[in-house]
Amino acid sequence: MATRSTKQARLDEARSALAAADDARRAGEHRRGAELAAQALAAARDAGPLRLQASALNLLALHEWRIGHAESAIGHGLQALPLFKRNRDAAGRSQVLCTLAMAYNDVGLHGDALAHVTKAIEAARTAADPSLMSWALNRTGVTYEMMGDCDRAERFKLQALEIARRVGGSEEMFSALNNLCSLLHAASDKAATPQAAQELLLRGLAHGQEALALASASGNTHRIAISHGNLGMVLLRLGRYDESLTHMDQAGELAQRHGYRGLSLSLIADRAMLHDRRGELDAAIAMYEQALAQAHGTDDHTMLAGLHEALHKIYKTRGDLAQALAHHEALLPLEREQMKQRADTQARLLLNRLELEQAQAEADRARLDAEVQRLRASHLETENRQLAVKAMELGRHALEDQLTGLANRRRVDHELPGQLAAARERRGALSVAAVDLDHFKQVNDRYGHAVGDDVLRAVARILLDNTRSSDLLARMGGEEFLVLFVGTSITAATDICERLRTAVEDFDWSRIAPGLGLTISIGLCDAVTSSDMRALLERADASLYAAKRAGRNRVEVALTSS
């Protein structure tokens, strides 16, 4: 009787903490919400109901993503998914899939993010819930924005807004309007003409003003601060500096009062940009330096890099070349650290995902009869050994190229035979591309090896940003790279290689050195037709040489061998 009373007390505690965590979500108090959701989860696990555990994990993941803990959000979101699936809760699945997508975007895994928002749309459709559909479309728009496809991003966000207006959802409307405002003022920088930029900004202004009205009506201070910040940037780009400063000051006061540290830092940088636009270079430098001082000691390398880049440009404009050079040099270790952090995060996420999948497999196996257990035992044991080997290999320093952070030739030699065997056994698709920088010797000769190293790192980053986490990227030596497209047909791999080639050609290489330009040549072949790794790499190299002979800056696909 006492045990039952204790369980009921924990159940009541879980429900109470969960309700409070949801109230914190609506108020924008995400740190407090994360603490309450964690309390709800602990109580729910003691009490037992899986549905309650799933709801607590869902809210915990959402709050963690909002306060910048993307990796933890992914871990808890992935735990919630099978519980929602077991309970046939399509609405809960759609919610947590949206959170997972945003968290994957934050760690640079945009391919995984797109896969999750696609599933979120399907789950929202199954739940027949227009509010969830609005959120899923909104998050799809954000994902395309992160991938650089602004036109598609706007279309999805407008669809989300249309549904939100139809159902009268204030939260959904605010999010769609705010994200549209942010998208349009960022897109204005890339507009073809000043008139086109003006049109984008005026549309963004209208969306931002409506978002601010909704945020003010809700009383959610986080939304109000973000809305003021976005409006400040739109008005800045429109040249309406006094109005811009008013909104930035209001956003900054809210951020300071409620401890929104990341937003507060961004707003200092925004004010510095305003002074820069006005030609008040000394004031701009002072504010950028203030933001830089506050950002030091944090792990926000993106913010630090942005501040150093802004100071590099402004000192260069003022003619203070020594300071400009100092800030440019400060960018390089930050970029290396960003790449290392991304690789480390992706490795940890892979390990966590494998551990979670293993735990789920073991739980499923426990529910099967003895015969199925006996048949699967050998397979599971082999799979676990392979996963353990892979986990160890991911952490081994010897398998990483020290300059770019990509895999090296030794890792390719280790993994490629297994991928070939797996593709033959499962009759799966597998493609390999040899990538070589065109006229790279001229870059070293003209600009020096330090610039050459920066170019190699930049190419590695472009490859990482435009491929999936499941693909294998390696620097084979010198200026030659290799991309192994796992589960990708030769036709799809050709399209990806064309995107890689274009991304390199379109990159602003003048950021590294004035007058610098770069292209790549790619040789691509279908790996499943080869049983020998050496022969496969020779085919890819032959296609690469064919691309070089044909004029460079092109993709050459090897003919399928018989």
Side-chain angles (χ1 to χ4, degrees):
M1 188 73 176
T3 302
R4 183 172 180 179
S5 298
T6 302
K7 182 173 286 191
Q8 183 61 48
R10 292 295 276 165
L11 186 61
D12 293 341
E13 183 182 341
R15 288 170 176 162
S16 176
L18 195 61
D22 197 42
D23 289 341
R25 175 190 64 81
R26 282 189 288 269
E29 299 172 354
H30 296 294
R31 290 192 183 279
R32 178 170 168 270
E35 293 172 0
L36 289 165
Q39 293 173 19
L41 177 60
R45 282 174 170 163
D46 288 343
L50 295 181
R51 189 180 297 275
L52 201 58
Q53 292 180 40
S55 297
L57 284 164
N58 182 23
L59 258 182
L60 180 56
L62 176 63
H63 284 300
E64 287 175 329
W65 164 62
R66 285 292 189 186
I67 59 178
H69 298 169
E71 193 172 340
S72 295
I74 290 170
H76 289 122
L78 290 175
Q79 291 178 49
L81 267 182
L83 300 181
F84 281 128
K85 186 174 182 181
R86 190 179 303 174
N87 289 319
R88 300 175 184 245
D89 186 346
R93 284 186 67 240
S94 183
Q95 290 173 355
V96 78
L97 284 164
C98 284
T99 299
L100 281 166
M102 298 301 285
Y104 276 123
N105 276 325
D106 283 355
V107 298
L109 294 173
H110 305 311
D112 290 328
L114 191 59
H116 281 78
V117 289
T118 301
K119 293 176 182 177
I121 291 173
E122 294 171 359
R125 188 174 292 119
T126 300
D129 188 326
S131 172
L132 292 175
M133 182 60 74
S134 177
W135 282 114
L137 291 169
N138 186 334
R139 297 327 190 192
T140 303
V142 172
T143 301
Y144 276 115
E145 181 181 359
M146 299 288 283
M147 297 171 73
D149 191 340
C150 293
D151 290 338
R152 191 171 292 179
E154 184 179 7
R155 286 200 299 273
F156 275 102
K157 290 180 183 181
L158 285 172
Q159 290 177 41
L161 178 59
E162 180 185 354
I163 294 173
R165 291 193 193 282
R166 195 161 61 234
V167 300
S170 60
E171 285 188 48
E172 296 88 336
M173 283 170 35
F174 167 79
S175 181
L177 288 163
N178 186 65
N179 287 339
L180 279 164
C181 176
S182 177
L183 168 70
L184 292 171
H185 82 66
S188 69
D189 288 340
K190 301 177 183 177
T193 65
Q195 292 81 2
Q198 181 87 351
E199 192 272 336
L200 288 171
L201 288 169
L202 290 174
R203 279 163 47 204
L205 180 62
H207 291 316
Q209 288 170 335
E210 188 177 354
L212 178 58
L214 286 169
S216 299
S218 74
N220 185 309
T221 55
H222 190 259
R223 292 181 200 164
I224 296 170
I226 289 174
S227 298
H228 278 300
N230 274 339
L231 280 171
M233 290 305 293
V234 172
L235 290 163
L236 170 63
R237 285 174 166 84
L238 284 169
R240 293 156 63 173
Y241 298 132
D242 290 341
E243 295 175 74
S244 172
L245 186 58
T246 297
H247 283 287
M248 288 183 185
D249 285 344
Q250 289 178 283
E253 191 276 329
L254 286 170
Q256 190 71 25
R257 189 195 315 160
H258 294 279
Y260 306 143
R261 189 167 185 272
L263 180 58
S264 183
L265 277 173
S266 297
L267 287 163
I268 295 173
D270 292 345
R271 289 193 195 96
M273 186 185 298
L274 189 151
H275 286 300
D276 188 10
R277 291 286 183 96
R278 280 177 158 171
E280 301 163 354
L281 299 188
D282 288 340
I285 288 172
M287 297 212 78
Y288 277 131
E289 294 286 8
Q290 178 189 348
L292 192 60
Q294 292 186 24
H296 274 303
T298 72
D299 59 357
D300 191 346
H301 292 89
T302 301
M303 169 66 75
L304 287 168
L307 292 170
H308 278 297
E309 185 172 3
L311 283 164
H312 162 71
K313 290 179 180 177
I314 202 166
Y315 274 120
K316 188 175 179 181
T317 300
R318 201 172 69 169
D320 190 341
L321 299 183
Q323 285 289 350
L325 180 61
H327 285 287
H328 178 69
E329 289 176 344
L331 275 171
L332 302 180
L334 287 171
E335 289 178 347
R336 284 195 296 269
E337 184 62 24
Q338 280 181 291
M339 291 181 67
K340 181 179 182 299
Q341 282 190 348
R342 174 178 289 188
D344 290 346
T345 299
Q346 291 176 358
R348 286 195 302 270
L349 289 173
L350 174 60
L351 290 174
N352 291 339
R353 185 185 301 172
L354 294 176
E355 289 171 1
L356 185 59
E357 289 174 354
Q358 182 180 344
Q360 291 169 359
E362 290 172 354
D364 290 340
R365 185 181 62 180
R367 288 190 292 268
L368 297 176
D369 58 40
E371 181 63 24
V372 174
Q373 290 182 37
R374 187 174 67 254
L375 291 173
R376 288 191 172 182
S378 176
H379 170 72
L380 288 171
E381 184 180 351
T382 301
E383 184 180 65
N384 288 339
R385 279 200 305 269
Q386 291 172 344
L387 295 178
V389 169
K390 188 170 185 179
M392 286 187 293
E393 291 299 328
L394 283 170
R396 287 183 58 185
H397 193 66
L399 300 182
E400 181 182 288
D401 176 58
Q402 296 305 298
L403 179 65
T404 63
L406 301 181
N408 59 16
R409 179 64 181 258
R410 186 179 299 175
R411 182 170 169 188
V412 171
D413 292 342
H414 178 79
E415 290 197 14
L416 185 52
Q419 293 285 2
L420 286 171
R424 286 197 306 274
E425 181 181 343
R426 301 171 186 169
R427 298 182 180 179
L430 192 67
S431 304
V432 65
V435 182
D436 191 82
L437 279 60
D438 296 329
H439 301 301
F440 182 68
K441 183 177 183 301
Q442 295 178 13
V443 174
N444 280 331
D445 291 345
R446 180 178 177 185
Y447 297 99
H449 289 281
V451 169
D453 288 348
D454 290 344
V455 168
L456 290 170
R457 282 189 286 265
V459 170
R461 190 167 185 173
I462 292 170
L463 295 177
L464 280 169
D465 289 345
N466 290 276
T467 52
R468 303 169 305 169
S469 58
S470 58
D471 297 329
L472 175 62
L473 278 68
R475 180 181 175 218
M476 301 296 281
E479 66 269 27
E480 185 172 346
F481 296 81
L482 179 135
V483 184
L484 183 65
F485 297 105
V486 180
T488 305
S489 67
I490 192 69
T491 301
T494 302
D495 292 338
I496 297 170
C497 286
E498 284 291 350
R499 289 203 300 272
L500 292 173
R501 183 193 64 77
T502 302
V504 171
E505 184 178 16
D506 292 345
F507 183 77
D508 183 9
W509 294 103
S510 64
R511 290 191 299 176
I512 294 177
L516 176 62
L518 190 77
T519 60
I520 57 173
S521 298
I522 302 177
L524 179 66
C525 65
D526 189 343
V528 295
T529 61
S530 298
S531 58
D532 178 70
M533 183 182 77
R534 185 182 298 275
L536 171 63
L537 295 179
E538 288 175 353
R539 288 180 60 219
D541 283 339
S543 296
L544 173 61
Y545 297 144
K548 295 283 189 180
R549 288 194 299 272
R552 296 180 170 83
N553 191 23
R554 60 188 290 122
V555 177
E556 195 72 30
V557 183
L559 296 175
T560 303
S561 60
S562 57

